[in-house]
Amino acid sequence: MIDGKKVLFSGMQATGNLTLGNYLGALKNWVTLSDEYECFYSVVDMHSITVRQDSAELRSRARKLLTLYIAAGLDPEKNCIYYQSHVSGHAELAWILNCFTYMGELSRMTQFKDKSAKHADNINAGLFTYPVLMAADILLYQADVVPVGIDQMQHLELTRDIAQRFNAIYGDVFTVPEPYIGKVGARIMSLQDPSKKMSKSDENPNASIYLMDDPDTIMRKFKRAVTDSVGAVRYNEEEQPGICNLIDIYCACTGKSREETEKEFDGKGYGDFKTAVGESVVEKLRPLQEKMAELEKNKDYIDSVIKNNAERAAYVSNKTLRKVQKKVGFPIRP
Ligand code: TRP
């Protein structure tokens, strides 16, 4: 608890261009959660170097992502928006937690298995202990809730196990975090293969709408979106996964329900529907893109946010870190 509010922690990596899926599935929810919880939203740049990155590009993407958090509506006065790498406690706690995590547990992580298959030439120790750093992120702030996608649930389960294991030895040191699963319907799928999640790392640029895509690009991608031969705008998951995805996107952007959408496009063709979905996305992203452009011009403001919030994150996280260091037997600082 901080000032009577429960604590929320989440983070995103600055690798790849953020997609409409990241926005509708995560970022938009973060904004609605920011009133109820004391929120820490990190740009987890330390996680990114588990796969090889171009330095200049990582730095510039990280800055864009942090700016995007603000452009999407997170008030940096109320939410702690900061770079993971600016708060040394993450690495320090991660080391300690490494000593309370088993090799067997880490070997079972599906993301590790997937990523080591994908980057067979660079299966580094960081990739292996990635979930421990994630546990440190969460436990440092004594987070009560962690909004995560289904793909990160296994890491969150491990975080809970590590916290409970530590608490069982040393007393109640860590808050054991709960997952926060967002509303259904926010899971946005690829426009080219509706059985796959829309992903920022998809090789096919037509599969994803990037948050900074211009209107023409957005309209073109929706025109090319994969549908089916049924020919009716119906929410039929079995036979029409592509159309279901477009309906979900349309609903998320317009606030309409699935039923209203089906009614609105009753008797109309896919061409008309795709145009409407595209336009709804263009309108949804317009204010975000405008705000982004405005913020990017305001270098001093963003710099001050980065500095102030890192200081606050360091202050809060140090309280946990000092307690943990004492518990495990490190010498007290005179
Ligand atoms: N591993 C998460 C992802 O790739 C990002 C992340 C790092 C995170 N630390 C976190 C998410 C802590 C939630 C809480 O999506």
Side-chain angles (χ1 to χ4, degrees):
M1 289 278 189
I2 297 180
D3 298 337
K5 280 185 177 174
K6 286 193 168 178
V7 177
L8 178 153
F9 186 96
S10 200
M12 272 190 217
Q13 291 203 48
T15 35
N17 279 319
L18 282 210
T19 70
L20 185 65
N22 298 121
Y23 177 64
L24 297 177
L27 208 45
K28 197 164 147 260
N29 286 337
W30 287 10
V31 178
T32 60
L33 292 167
S34 66
D35 282 333
E36 193 180 341
Y37 296 96
E38 184 71 31
C39 299
F40 293 84
Y41 291 122
S42 187
V43 172
V44 291
D45 46 0
M46 289 163 69
H47 278 101
S48 298
I49 64 164
T50 53
V51 296
R52 207 63 75 218
Q53 302 290 339
D54 178 86
S55 318
E57 196 166 301
L58 177 60
R59 190 162 15 251
S60 115
R61 283 188 196 279
R63 175 127 181 156
K64 277 209 157 55
L65 180 56
L66 186 133
T67 309
L68 184 70
Y69 285 2
I70 304 169
L74 292 173
D75 178 353
E77 298 286 327
K78 285 203 238 143
N79 302 274
C80 193
I81 293 172
Y82 72 100
Y83 295 124
Q84 183 188 32
S85 65
H86 281 191
V87 179
S88 60
H90 289 256
E92 292 178 75
L93 183 61
W95 170 254
I96 296 174
L97 298 181
N98 264 324
C99 303
F100 293 85
T101 309
Y102 298 113
M103 302 283 285
E105 289 176 307
L106 294 173
S107 326
R108 284 195 290 276
M109 295 292 123
T110 55
Q111 185 174 299
F112 171 69
K113 290 190 233 175
D114 292 348
K115 285 202 182 172
S116 40
K118 214 168 145 190
H119 305 279
D121 55 337
N122 182 21
I123 306 177
N124 61 71
L127 196 61
F128 190 62
T129 59
Y130 175 116
V132 183
L133 179 58
M134 180 161 159
D137 298 342
I138 296 167
L139 300 180
L140 261 184
Y141 299 90
Q142 305 287 358
D144 296 279
V145 292
V146 181
V148 280
I150 196 84
D151 59 320
Q152 294 297 315
M153 273 302 277
Q154 201 185 22
H155 291 161
L156 193 58
E157 284 299 330
L158 179 65
T159 301
R160 289 168 53 87
D161 289 343
I162 297 171
Q164 278 160 348
R165 183 173 304 148
F166 196 93
N167 286 350
I169 305 172
Y170 298 106
D172 274 341
V173 177
F174 293 125
T175 302
V176 180
E178 300 285 341
Y180 181 96
I181 309 283
K183 287 176 278 161
V184 280
R187 193 171 151 84
I188 305 301
M189 312 306 279
S190 156
L191 298 184
Q192 292 297 314
D193 176 359
S195 68
K196 279 197 327 199
K197 201 171 107 171
M198 184 180 285
S199 160
K200 51 189 173 180
S201 49
D202 203 307
E203 290 116 49
N204 182 349
N206 288 320
S208 311
I209 301 292
Y210 300 113
L211 293 183
M212 295 302 138
D213 277 349
D214 61 43
D216 288 346
T217 308
I218 295 174
M219 296 305 289
R220 181 167 40 80
K221 288 182 180 176
F222 278 106
K223 284 214 175 76
R224 292 193 186 160
V226 166
T227 52
D228 53 69
S229 56
V230 176
V233 179
R234 283 282 132 74
Y235 206 90
N236 176 347
E237 283 173 85
E238 291 284 296
E239 286 169 45
Q240 301 179 261
I243 288 293
C244 290
N245 188 35
L246 295 182
I247 293 177
D248 282 339
I249 293 173
Y250 188 68
C251 292
C253 290
T254 58
K256 291 178 186 165
S257 69
R258 288 174 184 173
E259 295 72 30
E260 283 172 311
T261 306
E262 285 177 343
K263 225 186 241 154
E264 185 177 349
F265 294 95
D266 189 29
K268 298 211 175 108
Y270 286 169
D272 288 347
F273 180 51
K274 285 175 165 184
T275 303
V277 179
E279 281 167 358
S280 76
V281 171
V282 169
E283 288 317 311
K284 189 82 194 169
L285 294 186
R286 191 191 305 281
L288 183 75
Q289 296 181 345
E290 285 171 0
K291 185 85 205 190
M292 192 71 191
E294 185 192 314
L295 286 168
E296 281 184 323
K297 276 189 241 144
N298 205 340
K299 185 175 177 304
D300 292 348
Y301 170 68
I302 298 293
D303 284 346
S304 76
V305 166
I306 290 172
K307 187 164 178 288
N308 295 339
N309 279 324
E311 280 168 9
R312 180 168 142 67
Y315 174 79
V316 175
S317 59
N318 262 329
K319 287 198 203 165
T320 305
L321 185 64
R322 295 289 171 255
K323 198 163 161 190
V324 171
Q325 288 170 330
K326 192 170 160 201
K327 289 285 184 189
V328 299
F330 293 170
I332 310 289
R333 288 158 200 255

